Amino acid sequence: MDQKKITFADIAKYTNFSKTTISRYFNDPDSLTVKNQEIIAQALEDLNYQENKLAKIFANGKSEFVGIIIPNLYMHYYAEMLNQILNTYDEFGYKFLIFTSKHDVEADRKYLQELLAYRIEGMIILSHTIGSQELAACGIPIVAIEREDAYINSVNTDNYMGAVQGTSLLIKNHCDVLIHINSQVAENVPSYGRIRGFLDTCKERQIKHELILQDLGHSPQEINACMQQLFAYITHKYPNVKKGLFLSNDTHANTMLNIIFRKYGTLPDEFRLIGFDDSPVSGQAILPISTIGQQIDKIAHEAMSLLVTLMDERKKRRPKPQTALVHKNITPVLIRRETTD
Amino acid sequence: MDQKKITFADIAKYTNFSKTTISRYFNDPDSLTVKNQEIIAQALEDLNYQENKLAKIFANGKSEFVGIIIPNLYMHYYAEMLNQILNTYDEFGYKFLIFTSKHDVEADRKYLQELLAYRIEGMIILSHTIGSQELAACGIPIVAIEREDAYINSVNTDNYMGAVQGTSLLIKNHCDVLIHINSQVAENVPSYGRIRGFLDTCKERQIKHELILQDLGHSPQEINACMQQLFAYITHKYPNVKKGLFLSNDTHANTMLNIIFRKYGTLPDEFRLIGFDDSPVSGQAILPISTIGQQIDKIAHEAMSLLVTLMDERKKRRPKPQTALVHKNITPVLIRRETTD
DNA sequence: TTGTATGCGTTATCAC
DNA sequence: GTGATAACGCATACAA
């Protein structure tokens, strides 16, 4: 097909310029006469030149690569986040080298080394395995999204505010008792804010509430079994009162809704329900589920924007080392659908 | 943090070997004495060496990059496919450079050029915008997944077989009339096989059927409106007979199921329903939906496996140009859940 | 088993 | 405005 690639040397020979001039044509065209620009442009056409970014990177040290380590793409949240991050290419021009975490620190460390070997200029991390202190030691700008971030920058959903909004809505719906169902999240993870937001709001408003923290299973079957059991527990413990259920995410909310709906053929007034994430399932449920919508597009953009700032600083002749960490919060939006009034 | 990077030259100086020997330590360690291996290993530790793959790639011309152009990550099918492709890293070692298509030929051409500039060794394409003839002209191995593939290799779901299985199940369920609802897919796209499979099976089994091909909308609202209208049409046209509905995908099937379920509080015996894809929504529906499961993991693995074979061939001293295109089909699996007997 | 010399395709630093 | 030359960090003949 195409034999050996055309290089600046070929173009230089063809045009009787030097390689330097060809290089300048690409990096500082105005330093050439218009006429010579045209000559070179024509030569590029004639020889069918294809630029070699690897050589360019190698020569100037700017890889324009950003590394990503993300837990999986099975969960819509992560898939959409990656989607939005990839979309920043058109604005910032950085390419992404992506690894999915195997929830195994050693494997992730290997991926990290591989990324570093490719001279990534910065990194966005969503995986939880490697501690932020270890990450900070890499010596490149790093931005975390929804994970422990004690020693690195981060952009997160304002989980606390989201929980306050959701809890407040359930209170406005005149629920007698509020129940928050979640798994046992660590306190240093941003999403722990959902629990704090729920508790604070309930206490402040002096409303009866219960916090249920337990393993909710991983497979659909396990989740279903858990929700089934929790439904039995809740209906037995709180009969004849209006129950406001705040689930940790939309998948759990949907599972719970299905259990209730199958039993009553509707969502009885006795139950109000709210999820978290605004994932597709919340809108496609048998009854569209009210939820807290994370602004994934904004989070992705803020993360890349912050990262680009940090990477740019590092490219300067006398880069100031980053002094204070940045932890940015993005406010979520309450989405009222049919499982709340 | 870390000043300038350690290179082979530094290690060579430190150990009194030559750069060549250091290089060999990495690429052919057995050619060194065990003792010298240890000396170098120690030096690597002492100096905290970090390998530079960019330099390596540049020197030997093997980028170990595979390019991907994929429509989006919003649809679960694409997200999971990308997930599975990324997972092949552990087996094949290729890194991926990924772009999401903007459904704009010019934008996609730009991405393609960018990928080529990074000297990708091969490419997996799921985007539809660029014709396969143009892609074939790139001069690198390319494997298509579920798109027009006249001039390039491909790995696809056996859509025809999937449709045959689904249609047969509906027939086995004693449906009086079979209805396939799909959008107007082009005949040169693999998923058109679903339509052929449906029609052929119905004709062969001499069963009453109807093929509904129309724009089904893109937003959840549009889809819901379409399904609502189709439901009215179907119930009016086929009253008092058992209707077997074969929807083009699980999202559509779920929307239709919700409409039926909200109306009757159950899925009446008069309706049997089957979707396509085995996406999460099919299992999380108010009634778990029967569906045709695409073996995304297998497709991804086959695609990479094929691509690796082609890329390897090209690295040989006298590579044979690929003679015949490979078009591989992966059989889907029928998943019987609660919307069929 | 180890070393020398050269090449990979750009950019960067000086010259002119 | 343009050119010669030296990096950049590693791989690979070819020697020894």
Side-chain angles (χ1 to χ4, degrees):
Chain A
M1 197 116 305
D2 55 350
Q3 36 283 20
K4 55 166 75 89
K5 300 282 187 179
I6 302 297
T7 73
F8 282 10
D10 300 314
I11 303 167
K13 203 169 298 172
Y14 188 87
T15 58
N16 289 320
F17 286 113
S18 67
K19 292 193 294 178
T20 311
T21 302
I22 310 302
S23 175
R24 269 196 275 268
Y25 170 81
F26 286 99
N27 299 310
D28 186 16
D30 291 340
S31 68
L32 312 195
T33 63
V34 176
K35 184 179 173 183
N36 287 345
Q37 288 183 40
E38 282 165 2
I39 292 174
I40 294 177
Q42 185 58 50
L44 261 31
E45 283 285 326
D46 295 350
L47 300 175
N48 188 27
Y49 173 74
Q50 198 165 58
E51 63 175 333
N52 186 339
K53 288 233 180 182
L54 287 182
K56 180 171 185 165
I57 288 172
F58 179 63
N60 73 9
K62 306 178 205 306
S63 70
E64 296 191 341
F65 280 140
V66 163
I68 297 181
I69 302 183
I70 193 165
N72 63 66
L73 298 182
Y74 181 82
M75 290 172 69
H76 175 265
Y77 171 78
Y78 290 126
E80 182 62 15
M81 188 65 78
L82 182 58
N83 198 14
Q84 296 297 343
I85 293 175
L86 292 179
N87 278 342
T88 65
Y89 169 77
D90 294 312
E91 180 176 359
F92 298 115
Y94 282 90
K95 271 71 55 181
F96 300 93
L97 250 25
I98 305 160
F99 286 103
T100 51
S101 167
K102 298 298 168 300
H103 308 289
D104 164 5
V105 198
E106 281 315 317
D108 281 10
R109 287 208 177 97
K110 206 186 89 195
Y111 297 152
L112 182 56
Q113 285 310 312
E114 183 85 356
L115 289 173
L116 260 18
Y118 274 96
R119 294 297 187 259
I120 55 170
E121 295 185 45
M123 157 150 161
I124 293 182
I125 185 149
L126 295 95
S127 159
H128 291 237
T129 52
I130 304 178
S132 66
Q133 192 159 16
E134 182 177 344
L135 290 171
C138 287
I140 54 168
I142 299 188
V143 175
I145 296 180
E146 289 290 330
R147 54 150 285 152
E148 175 266 311
D149 56 3
Y151 295 88
I152 51 183
N153 305 286
S154 65
V155 178
N156 297 308
T157 285
D158 190 336
N159 287 276
Y160 186 89
M161 263 312 289
V164 169
Q165 291 179 69
T167 308
S168 299
L169 176 59
L170 292 176
I171 294 176
K172 225 176 293 171
N173 279 201
H174 307 295
C175 290
D176 301 306
V177 56
L178 264 43
I179 302 166
H180 179 46
I181 298 173
N182 209 325
S183 43
Q184 286 143 0
V185 291
E187 295 194 21
N188 62 356
V189 170
S191 74
Y192 187 78
R194 301 182 194 177
I195 293 172
R196 288 193 296 105
F198 171 77
L199 289 178
D200 285 1
T201 307
C202 288
K203 282 171 188 160
E204 187 187 317
R205 307 285 288 274
Q206 300 193 309
I207 190 151
K208 189 171 176 185
H209 62 277
E210 177 168 355
L211 179 64
I212 300 179
L213 298 183
Q214 63 171 64
D215 182 15
L216 300 173
H218 296 282
S219 70
Q221 290 74 27
E222 285 174 14
I223 293 172
N224 193 61
C226 278
M227 291 300 151
Q228 201 93 42
Q229 171 238 315
L230 287 173
F231 173 73
Y233 167 77
I234 290 167
T235 47
H236 176 262
K237 183 164 178 185
Y238 303 105
N240 305 320
V241 297
K242 188 159 184 173
K243 296 167 276 291
L245 272 39
F246 172 23
L247 281 291
S248 53
N249 68 47
D250 290 331
T251 298
H252 295 154
N254 178 63
T255 306
M256 183 62 87
L257 174 64
N258 280 343
I259 290 169
I260 299 174
F261 204 97
R262 282 191 210 113
K263 172 153 184 172
Y264 300 100
T266 178
L267 180 71
D269 235 29
E270 191 181 308
F271 293 95
R272 297 293 85 181
L273 198 73
I274 190 162
F276 209 108
D277 283 350
D278 190 30
S279 60
V281 66
S282 69
Q284 297 171 353
I286 183 69
L287 221 59
I289 299 172
S290 295
T291 187
I292 318 288
Q294 305 206 49
Q295 304 202 66
I296 298 181
D297 52 345
K298 280 199 186 164
I299 295 173
H301 189 269
E302 280 297 332
M304 263 309 284
S305 180
L306 170 57
L307 194 59
V308 168
T309 308
L310 298 172
M311 294 186 299
D312 283 350
E313 180 62 36
R314 273 185 123 247
K315 286 179 195 167
K316 294 180 184 169
R317 53 228 105 264
R318 233 278 294 145
K320 307 170 189 157
Q322 209 193 344
T323 50
L325 291 179
V326 177
H327 297 294
K328 191 145 192 169
N329 275 331
I330 306 295
T331 308
V333 293
L334 180 63
I335 298 173
R336 301 174 66 161
R337 291 202 271 241
E338 301 183 27
T339 59
T340 56
D341 305 322
Chain B
M1 196 117 307
D2 54 351
Q3 37 283 18
K4 56 167 72 86
K5 300 282 186 180
I6 302 297
T7 73
F8 282 9
D10 300 313
I11 303 166
K13 203 170 299 171
Y14 187 87
T15 58
N16 290 320
F17 286 112
S18 69
K19 293 194 291 178
T20 311
T21 302
I22 310 302
S23 175
R24 270 197 275 268
Y25 170 82
F26 287 99
N27 299 311
D28 186 15
D30 292 340
S31 68
L32 310 195
T33 63
V34 175
K35 184 179 173 183
N36 287 344
Q37 288 184 39
E38 283 165 1
I39 293 174
I40 295 176
Q42 185 58 49
L44 260 32
E45 283 285 325
D46 296 349
L47 300 176
N48 188 29
Y49 173 73
Q50 198 166 58
E51 62 175 332
N52 185 340
K53 287 232 180 183
L54 287 182
K56 181 170 185 163
I57 287 171
F58 179 62
N60 72 12
K62 307 177 204 307
S63 71
E64 296 190 342
F65 281 139
V66 164
I68 297 180
I69 302 183
I70 193 166
N72 64 67
L73 298 181
Y74 181 81
M75 290 172 69
H76 175 265
Y77 170 78
Y78 291 126
E80 182 62 16
M81 187 66 77
L82 181 58
N83 198 14
Q84 296 296 343
I85 293 175
L86 292 180
N87 278 343
T88 64
Y89 169 78
D90 293 314
E91 179 177 359
F92 298 114
Y94 283 89
K95 270 71 57 182
F96 300 94
L97 249 25
I98 305 159
F99 287 103
T100 51
S101 167
K102 299 299 168 298
H103 308 290
D104 163 7
V105 198
E106 280 316 316
D108 282 10
R109 286 209 178 96
K110 205 186 90 195
Y111 298 153
L112 182 56
Q113 285 311 311
E114 183 86 357
L115 289 173
L116 260 17
Y118 274 97
R119 294 296 186 259
I120 55 171
E121 295 185 45
M123 157 149 161
I124 292 181
I125 186 150
L126 294 95
S127 159
H128 292 237
T129 52
I130 304 178
S132 66
Q133 193 159 15
E134 182 177 344
L135 290 170
C138 287
I140 55 168
I142 299 188
V143 176
I145 295 179
E146 290 289 331
R147 55 149 283 153
E148 175 266 311
D149 57 3
Y151 295 87
I152 53 182
N153 305 285
S154 66
V155 178
N156 297 307
T157 286
D158 190 336
N159 287 276
Y160 186 89
M161 263 311 290
V164 169
Q165 292 179 70
T167 309
S168 300
L169 177 59
L170 292 176
I171 295 176
K172 224 176 293 170
N173 279 203
H174 308 293
C175 291
D176 301 306
V177 56
L178 264 44
I179 301 165
H180 179 45
I181 298 173
N182 209 325
S183 43
Q184 284 143 0
V185 291
E187 294 194 21
N188 63 356
V189 170
S191 73
Y192 188 78
R194 301 181 195 178
I195 294 172
R196 289 192 295 105
F198 170 77
L199 289 178
D200 285 1
T201 308
C202 288
K203 283 172 188 161
E204 187 187 318
R205 306 284 288 273
Q206 300 192 309
I207 191 153
K208 190 172 175 184
H209 62 277
E210 177 168 353
L211 180 63
I212 300 178
L213 297 183
Q214 63 172 64
D215 182 15
L216 300 171
H218 295 283
S219 70
Q221 290 73 27
E222 286 174 12
I223 294 173
N224 193 61
C226 278
M227 291 300 151
Q228 201 93 41
Q229 171 239 316
L230 287 173
F231 173 73
Y233 167 78
I234 290 167
T235 47
H236 176 261
K237 183 164 178 185
Y238 303 106
N240 305 319
V241 297
K242 188 158 184 173
K243 296 166 274 293
L245 271 40
F246 173 22
L247 280 292
S248 54
N249 69 47
D250 290 331
T251 299
H252 294 156
N254 177 64
T255 305
M256 183 62 88
L257 174 64
N258 281 343
I259 290 169
I260 299 174
F261 204 97
R262 284 192 209 110
K263 170 153 186 172
Y264 300 100
T266 178
L267 180 70
D269 236 29
E270 191 182 306
F271 292 97
R272 297 293 84 178
L273 197 73
I274 191 162
F276 209 109
D277 284 350
D278 191 30
S279 59
V281 66
S282 69
Q284 297 170 354
I286 183 69
L287 221 59
I289 299 172
S290 295
T291 187
I292 319 287
Q294 303 207 50
Q295 304 202 68
I296 298 181
D297 53 345
K298 280 198 185 165
I299 295 173
H301 188 270
E302 280 297 332
M304 264 310 283
S305 180
L306 170 58
L307 194 59
V308 168
T309 307
L310 298 172
M311 293 187 299
D312 282 350
E313 179 62 36
R314 275 183 122 247
K315 287 180 194 166
K316 293 181 183 169
R317 51 230 106 263
R318 234 278 293 144
K320 308 170 189 160
Q322 209 193 343
T323 50
L325 291 178
V326 177
H327 296 294
K328 192 145 191 170
N329 275 330
I330 306 295
T331 308
V333 293
L334 181 62
I335 298 173
R336 302 173 65 160
R337 292 203 271 240
E338 300 182 30
T339 59
T340 56
D341 306 323

